Amino acid sequence: MKENESLKLYMLSDIKNLKVHGRVAGSLSPLTLFWTGSGIELNVKGSELWIEVEVDYDMYEPWISVLVDSALVSRQILIAGRYWVCIFRNMDENDVKNLRIVREVQAMNGDPDCSLKIHAIKFNGEFLPVSEKPYRIEFIGDSITSGEGTVGAKKEQEWIPMWFSAINNYTYMTAEALNADYRVISQSGWGVLTSWDNNPHYNIPEYYDKVCGLLTGEKNKALGAFEQNDFSAWQPDVVVVNLGTNDAEAFNSPEWKDEVTGETHKQRLSEDGTYNDKDLKAFEDAIKAFLIKLREYNKKAHIVWVYGMLGIPVMPSIYRAIDNFINETGDNKITVFQLPNTTEETVGSRCHPGVLAHRKAAEELSEYLREILAK
């Protein structure tokens, strides 16, 4: 594609009015986007803009979405390599446009090579200030929070990045409804205690305090993924935790076995088909332990534990764990909110909540959070 000859090269560190979304390691040379929903935001006045990306992966390629004035105008796969991507051209050079470039796909624990970096921008106009929004929300969750299944026909079942979306997602929709900035910490299949297949190492709380600790490999270490997150730099007003769906599934899945150490783990069912009391208590203890960690790093935030888009089999345990925590600590800024269940009409690809389910969840959750934020 032919470039406009008036384009000027800007390193990200040269752009004073650049706004970065999502947890990052701090470097702008280049900027690595680790999490779903992470990205950059600019207010621009000009007719053409390109970004220089550097992409790598073994199995799971990154995707990005482009939003102009909050409207989704592009969603695209990024192939491996370092190259320029045209974001827009031939727009009104005198019109101020809000531009967001968003990573659509979750951090990929299963692919140590998966990375997305932004190096520079070519632009023929002016960068204007981007205001901070009045609220900040952090979302923590699993495949639902990663937006798995929000793209594609209902029949699609491949586990591939194409079916993920940060935009067709209750996190983005809720933040937009509340005029809030937001961040997402999520991983498909993971829980608060174990993953869906009983792996005790695949739990979100264990890695919460790092920039993106659930990644693996020397490459991600070099990018800063395993560094301590700077919580003082971004404090949320509300932390929304959507975990428990995979913990419930673990009770119905075979035991997990570490092929190297021989270690095994299983959330068990009793003979009558109910959840084993001891294993259920381990799940509840994991919730309480995570609440302790969340409060340590988010001193003033209201914590909302949400659950329900794929059924509510462990909802009594969630209520019990949180009630016990409140009674033990006196911390009354923790509540539970049940999200609407996914139906035949609102299901998406991979038997996951589709965009209609996410829209319904966002409508109800934003109303609930609006009351909390108003206090």
Side-chain angles (χ1 to χ4, degrees):
M1 183 185 296
K2 185 177 180 181
E3 291 183 9
N4 189 316
E5 293 180 357
S6 65
L7 294 177
K8 180 179 177 182
L9 176 66
Y10 298 88
M11 305 308 293
L12 292 190
S13 56
D14 296 332
I15 305 173
K16 182 174 121 179
N17 294 319
L18 175 74
K19 185 172 182 178
V20 177
H21 293 276
R23 281 192 188 181
V24 294
S27 174
L28 292 176
S29 304
L31 172 67
T32 301
L33 302 179
F34 293 107
W35 297 99
T36 187
S38 61
I40 60 173
E41 181 178 1
L42 295 159
N43 281 339
V44 294
K45 188 176 175 183
S47 66
E48 186 169 332
L49 186 144
W50 297 60
I51 64 167
E52 185 186 22
V53 299
E54 184 179 355
V55 177
D56 194 14
Y57 52 87
D58 178 30
M59 297 176 287
Y60 305 123
E61 77 283 347
W63 287 62
I64 58 168
S65 278
V66 176
L67 297 100
V68 177
D69 295 328
S70 297
L72 178 64
V73 298
S74 173
R75 182 175 184 273
Q76 59 186 290
I77 189 173
L78 295 179
I79 61 172
R82 181 169 174 172
Y83 50 91
W84 289 92
V85 176
C86 184
I87 301 302
F88 64 77
R89 57 191 302 271
N90 293 331
M91 293 195 73
D92 184 343
E93 63 181 10
N94 297 309
D95 182 42
V96 178
K97 297 163 277 291
N98 177 262
L99 171 66
R100 285 191 63 173
I101 299 165
V102 182
R103 176 176 171 131
E104 279 275 83
V105 182
Q106 67 174 18
M108 283 297 182
N109 165 267
D111 187 352
D113 289 333
C114 180
S115 64
L116 169 57
K117 306 172 194 175
I118 301 178
H119 282 272
I121 289 176
K122 286 181 181 177
F123 183 48
N124 64 349
E126 180 182 2
F127 298 105
L128 302 172
V130 180
S131 62
E132 291 294 316
K133 293 186 176 179
Y135 306 114
R136 291 175 173 179
I137 306 172
E138 180 176 74
F139 294 91
I140 303 168
D142 48 39
S143 59
I144 297 172
T145 304
S146 291
E148 181 179 343
T150 58
V151 176
K154 293 180 181 181
K155 71 179 183 66
E156 310 295 359
Q157 294 299 325
E158 305 94 339
W159 201 89
I160 55 176
M162 186 157 55
W163 309 140
F164 286 76
S165 176
I167 303 304
N168 290 340
N169 190 312
Y170 80 95
T171 59
Y172 171 80
M173 297 172 187
T174 299
E176 284 292 289
L178 296 171
N179 191 28
D181 285 323
Y182 77 108
R183 291 182 172 183
V184 178
I185 310 296
S186 64
Q187 191 70 188
S188 292
W190 289 36
V192 66
L193 177 64
T194 76
S195 59
W196 69 273
D197 58 354
N198 282 290
N199 187 334
H201 306 295
Y202 283 4
N203 69 82
I204 297 292
E206 185 173 339
Y207 308 95
Y208 176 74
D209 57 336
K210 306 303 182 187
V211 172
C212 193
L214 55 77
L215 291 177
T216 58
E218 289 300 314
K219 176 179 178 179
N220 284 308
K221 180 180 180 180
L223 292 173
F226 310 145
E227 294 175 5
Q228 185 75 13
N229 183 57
D230 182 6
F231 287 92
S232 65
W234 199 92
Q235 278 283 299
D237 299 289
V238 178
V239 176
V240 176
V241 185
N242 187 354
L243 290 171
T245 299
N246 291 302
D247 295 277
E249 185 61 26
F251 284 93
N252 299 299
S253 298
E255 74 172 11
W256 171 84
K257 182 177 181 179
D258 188 319
E259 297 301 329
V260 176
T261 66
E263 172 193 2
T264 62
H265 187 271
K266 176 74 177 84
Q267 291 293 88
R268 297 163 296 178
L269 294 173
S270 302
E271 290 185 3
D272 62 359
T274 59
Y275 297 136
N276 177 279
D277 289 341
K278 182 179 179 181
D279 294 343
L280 207 55
K281 185 177 185 304
F283 169 63
E284 294 171 17
D285 288 345
I287 292 175
K288 291 163 68 175
F290 193 27
L291 291 173
I292 291 172
K293 179 175 276 193
L294 287 172
R295 182 55 75 213
E296 177 186 355
Y297 292 117
N298 306 282
K299 302 292 187 187
K300 298 180 180 179
H302 191 110
I303 301 171
V304 182
W305 201 290
V306 303
Y307 180 58
M309 291 179 73
L310 289 175
I312 54 170
V314 293
M315 181 63 99
S317 283
I318 293 173
Y319 270 115
R320 188 160 50 242
I322 290 175
D323 285 345
N324 289 339
F325 180 82
I326 294 171
N327 291 333
E328 291 169 9
T329 64
D331 188 340
N332 61 4
K333 294 183 72 175
I334 302 172
T335 53
V336 180
F337 183 75
Q338 183 173 328
L339 296 172
N341 198 18
T342 301
T343 66
E344 286 294 323
E345 289 72 34
T346 63
V347 72
S349 60
R350 290 194 44 75
C351 303
H352 273 63
V355 63
L356 295 178
H358 279 256
R359 192 170 296 146
K360 178 65 174 174
E363 288 173 1
E364 297 191 11
L365 179 59
S366 60
E367 285 302 310
Y368 180 73
L369 296 183
R370 188 172 283 112
E371 296 178 7
I372 291 172
L373 291 168
K375 293 179 182 178

